[in-house]
Amino acid sequence: MEPPVLAFTLWIFAFLSVPAAGYPNGKVREACSSMMPRHEHSPQPSPEHTISVNETKFRPGDHIKVNLSGPVFEGFFIQARNAENLAGPAVGSFMLAEERISQLLTSLFSNSFSTCTPLTVLNLCVVSSLPFRATVVEKYKIFWVKIPGPVISQPNAPPLTTPTSITPETLPTSQPVFHLTKSFNASGCGSTKFCIRNPAKCDPGAAYCFFLSFKQNNHSVLIEMSGPSEGYIAFALSHDQWMGDDDAYLCINEDHRINVNTAYLSGRIPPVLDSENGLEDISWRVADGLVQCSFRRNLRLPAYKGRFNLDANYYIFLADGEASEGLIHKHHRQPLITNGMYNVTDSPKDVGGSRSPLLLKLHASLMFVAWMTTVSIGVIVARFFKPVWPHSLFGKEIWFQVHRMLMLTTVLLTSIAFVLPFIYRGGWSEWAGFHPYLGCTVMALAIFQPLMAGFRPPPHAPRRQVFNWVHWSTGTTARILAVVTMFLGMDLPALNLPDPWDTYTMIGFVAWHVGIDILLEIHSYCLIRKVEVIDEDRIQILQSLTSAEAEGHTFKEIVLTIYICGNIAFLITFLAAIHQL
């Protein structure tokens, strides 16, 4: 049966306690049919606003006043639908009672479809029919969709062929949201459910614990996620260990209210949250600094673009960060990444992960060994131990053999460490700032030093002085740039060193090295002054020189021993922090 053509005008009033500010971005045209704002968040479950009318019966040509009331909001969007086809287009037209706080959008009615054109201030699509529906936006990420309103009808109108009551099919498609009454627990991890915990084996109720679990039930999976955050916690399924082309799930804390969303991560850019996600049984809890949420999803969601099948192998990322006004910001630190690919619906496991990839840990470790230990000791030996170790070993002085061995070890360790980030990244990194550029410069200088040493002139050759200055300046430049590069590298999130502890410790190492260098310089100066005996007796001068040198050699060897022990202590401290020992 064809519905009766409705030809009447409605009057609309909006009672607001303060002037309303709306969204001028013009995204309402796409929302006219679904009434769902394109705000990339899920609607709230329980309406707080109501629609009322001054009449429930009408005749063609009547004016009906429509009121929208409730807590303060920023925008609203009202339609009237045909009761026999609630999913169909909006019909009818409105007249405004107050043009300062509401505005019309053009609308076509009769047998044509309804279309909406955005104007300014408030996004309002207006038509006339029965019953009424409203979408209300409190703020960007807090809104209600298709709030049911009263039904008005014509006297003696033909009976409807479909019920006018609100059924589950006519309500918004968002799932109800429940509050968790207690914290998650780790019972069943490794036996009945797949768990990821950081730190390993931590209690999900602890204020420092990040927790993610998957429990399959027939064709669906219950997912629980928990972690300390003032903004959001999220996990993503990935085919590799890189951000991009990933299926992400986010629990976002805004004013102690959790929104559970999905997103497809296309790269290292803020994710675009999905307006529909296919998640069910959503629950959440905010307590003791922890954000906790749980939801259920089917193993396969072919109707939702970007949702991966859960019965496949993936790397799993777990991240946290800040969120404000519906926008999420870059995670505070490197996400936790599982050490391998897992199928969460396969045999249950209780696994951990790492916030710093193994290859990058090795890169940092080798660089610290090279530029905090071998090169530093080698420079001290060449600068101060020529008179201490003058005897020959395999045809060369001992000090020279030790110096050469340490420097070649530095070049070898630097070369190995240099290629590891390229292997891990698969190329050049655009996200590491100046660190890779300075690292390439240090690598070039480190290779140039031994090549230049191979063409060292004889001790008394005219060019030997030039060589000495070039060799010293190249090595000093390499060491200074290496320290700067390490400072920059320690702050990269991929290394996950505690900040500002790493910076202070590195400053301590630099001060330690400079202090030892100054101490030995002062000692050498004092030694020279001590042997300057103003005496004509050559034997007395020789005795003084021999005694002073013996005392000086012992002092230098003691200082070198202390210096090596100090360097090793700094090195162990950094290596323990890198590998989280």
Side-chain angles (χ1 to χ4, degrees), residues 160-177:
L160 297 172
T161 58
T162 57
T164 59
S165 61
I166 306 300
T167 65
E169 289 74 22
T170 63
L171 288 172
T173 57
S174 61
Q175 294 292 326
V177 179

Side-chain angles (χ1 to χ4, degrees), residues 55-329:
E55 298 287 348
T56 58
K57 302 290 184 180
F58 74 91
R59 295 181 181 277
D62 285 352
H63 288 195
I64 306 295
K65 183 172 68 175
V66 182
N67 304 322
L68 177 62
S69 58
V72 176
F73 53 84
E74 292 183 343
F76 65 95
F77 179 57
I78 294 181
Q79 287 184 349
R81 299 289 181 100
N82 190 321
E84 291 195 359
N85 184 18
L86 291 173
V91 294
S93 61
F94 277 97
M95 292 176 58
L96 297 179
E98 177 54 73
E99 296 186 2
R100 291 188 307 105
I101 58 176
S102 59
Q103 199 149 17
L104 290 172
L105 301 175
T106 58
S107 174
L108 301 177
F109 79 102
S110 71
N111 292 330
S112 178
F113 61 87
S114 177
T115 181
C116 304
T117 302
L119 297 177
T120 58
V121 186
L122 296 176
N123 296 331
L124 175 64
C125 185
V126 291
V127 288
S128 59
S129 183
L130 59 145
F132 292 99
R133 296 289 181 267
T135 289
V136 178
V137 177
E138 179 180 311
K139 59 171 65 175
Y140 181 82
K141 63 188 299 183
I142 301 178
F143 57 89
W144 295 263
V145 175
K146 290 185 179 179
I147 299 173
V151 177
I152 60 174
S153 59
Q154 295 187 61
N156 304 319
L160 297 172
T161 58
T162 57
T164 59
S165 61
I166 306 300
T167 65
E169 289 74 22
T170 63
L171 288 172
T173 57
S174 61
Q175 294 292 326
V177 179
F178 302 97
H179 292 272
L180 296 169
T181 57
K182 60 182 180 178
S183 178
F184 299 140
N185 61 73
S187 62
C189 285
S191 58
T192 61
K193 60 185 180 182
F194 185 100
C195 296
I196 301 171
R197 291 190 273 176
N198 180 250
K201 307 298 182 181
C202 66
D203 179 5
Y208 58 87
C209 183
F210 287 89
F211 174 78
L212 178 65
S213 71
F214 302 83
K215 186 175 183 179
Q216 183 177 1
N217 182 14
N218 296 325
H219 299 291
S220 66
V221 175
L222 176 65
I223 300 171
E224 297 175 334
M225 180 164 49
S226 173
S229 178
E230 295 295 329
Y232 70 91
I233 56 174
F235 80 90
L237 307 176
S238 180
H239 298 290
D240 52 36
Q241 292 181 300
W242 300 103
M243 182 176 176
D245 190 25
D246 305 325
D247 180 14
Y249 300 79
L250 306 96
C251 298
I252 306 173
N253 180 11
E254 183 74 14
D255 298 330
H256 297 283
R257 182 184 304 181
I258 301 299
N259 288 312
V260 179
N261 298 95
T262 59
Y264 176 75
L265 305 180
S266 58
R268 290 193 169 193
I269 58 176
V272 177
L273 304 179
D274 301 321
S275 58
E276 297 181 353
N277 51 43
L279 305 182
E280 302 174 345
D281 299 340
I282 297 174
S283 302
W284 59 268
R285 179 175 180 264
V286 179
D288 303 323
L290 288 175
V291 171
Q292 298 186 321
C293 62
S294 69
F295 52 88
R296 185 180 300 277
R297 62 148 284 187
N298 291 335
L299 288 175
R300 298 172 180 266
L301 292 172
Y304 296 89
K305 184 179 179 181
R307 299 286 75 76
F308 293 177
N309 297 333
L310 292 182
D311 53 354
N313 290 317
Y314 303 102
Y315 287 101
I316 303 174
F317 291 57
L318 189 57
D320 65 293
E322 295 181 356
S324 60
E325 293 300 325
L327 299 176
I328 68 172
H329 305 286

Side-chain angles (χ1 to χ4, degrees), residues 504-575:
Y504 294 150
T505 306
M506 193 65 186
I507 291 174
F509 165 73
V510 173
W512 167 254
H513 175 78
V514 172
I516 293 295
D517 210 345
I518 292 175
L519 177 63
L520 290 175
E521 287 286 358
I522 294 175
H523 174 264
S524 297
Y525 174 78
C526 292
L527 184 62
I528 294 174
R529 296 287 296 174
K530 187 174 183 179
V531 300
E532 288 180 350
V533 180
I534 306 177
D535 195 331
E536 295 295 334
D537 189 349
R538 293 179 178 272
I539 296 177
Q540 180 63 36
I541 295 174
L542 180 61
Q543 289 176 347
S544 299
L545 178 62
T546 303
S547 175
E549 283 186 340
E551 293 176 6
H553 293 174
T554 302
F555 178 82
K556 287 181 179 179
E557 288 173 344
I558 293 175
V559 171
L560 179 63
T561 302
I562 296 174
Y563 178 69
I564 292 174
C565 293
N567 278 25
I568 292 175
F570 275 107
L571 180 63
I572 292 175
T573 302
F574 274 108
L575 294 181

Side-chain angles (χ1 to χ4, degrees), residues 247-519:
D247 180 14
Y249 300 79
L250 306 96
C251 298
I252 306 173
N253 180 11
E254 183 74 14
D255 298 330
H256 297 283
R257 182 184 304 181
I258 301 299
N259 288 312
V260 179
N261 298 95
T262 59
Y264 176 75
L265 305 180
S266 58
R268 290 193 169 193
I269 58 176
V272 177
L273 304 179
D274 301 321
S275 58
E276 297 181 353
N277 51 43
L279 305 182
E280 302 174 345
D281 299 340
I282 297 174
S283 302
W284 59 268
R285 179 175 180 264
V286 179
D288 303 323
L290 288 175
V291 171
Q292 298 186 321
C293 62
S294 69
F295 52 88
R296 185 180 300 277
R297 62 148 284 187
N298 291 335
L299 288 175
R300 298 172 180 266
L301 292 172
Y304 296 89
K305 184 179 179 181
R307 299 286 75 76
F308 293 177
N309 297 333
L310 292 182
D311 53 354
N313 290 317
Y314 303 102
Y315 287 101
I316 303 174
F317 291 57
L318 189 57
D320 65 293
E322 295 181 356
S324 60
E325 293 300 325
L327 299 176
I328 68 172
H329 305 286
K330 183 179 179 181
H331 38 74
H332 292 299
R333 50 183 170 170
Q334 184 81 355
L336 179 77
I337 307 175
T338 54
N339 296 321
M341 301 182 74
Y342 295 99
N343 182 342
V344 299
T345 62
D346 205 347
S347 57
K349 293 179 175 62
D350 189 3
V351 303
S354 174
R355 296 186 182 273
S356 181
L358 178 61
L359 288 179
L360 296 187
K361 288 182 178 180
L362 292 176
H363 165 78
S365 300
L366 293 176
M367 286 298 189
F368 277 123
V369 172
W371 295 95
M372 289 184 65
T373 307
T374 58
V375 76
S376 300
I377 298 173
V379 168
I380 293 288
V381 168
R383 177 70 182 87
F384 299 104
F385 280 77
K386 290 178 183 179
V388 180
W389 297 334
H391 305 292
S392 294
L393 179 66
F394 302 114
K396 292 289 184 180
E397 295 88 344
I398 293 177
W399 73 265
F400 179 78
Q401 296 286 32
V402 173
H403 171 75
R404 181 167 60 181
M405 179 191 67
L406 290 172
M407 291 308 180
L408 290 177
T409 302
T410 299
V411 175
L412 177 63
L413 295 176
T414 303
S415 300
I416 296 173
F418 180 77
V419 301
L420 294 180
F422 290 97
I423 296 174
Y424 172 69
R425 297 289 184 185
W428 186 264
S429 174
E430 299 291 342
W431 305 93
F434 290 104
H435 178 77
Y437 297 98
L438 292 177
C440 289
T441 304
V442 171
M443 184 74 254
L445 293 175
I447 293 176
F448 179 68
Q449 275 288 78
L451 292 178
M452 180 173 54
F455 297 94
R456 180 177 65 255
H460 301 293
R463 296 191 304 272
R464 182 57 181 256
Q465 193 69 19
V466 176
F467 166 82
N468 289 341
W469 277 103
V470 173
H471 187 64
W472 175 86
S473 61
T474 302
T476 302
T477 302
R479 293 171 62 204
I480 293 173
L481 290 179
V483 171
V484 174
T485 305
M486 286 191 289
F487 268 110
L488 295 176
M490 290 187 303
D491 288 334
L492 293 176
L495 200 54
N496 193 37
L497 286 177
D499 188 56
W501 170 91
D502 54 349
T503 302
Y504 294 150
T505 306
M506 193 65 186
I507 291 174
F509 165 73
V510 173
W512 167 254
H513 175 78
V514 172
I516 293 295
D517 210 345
I518 292 175
L519 177 63

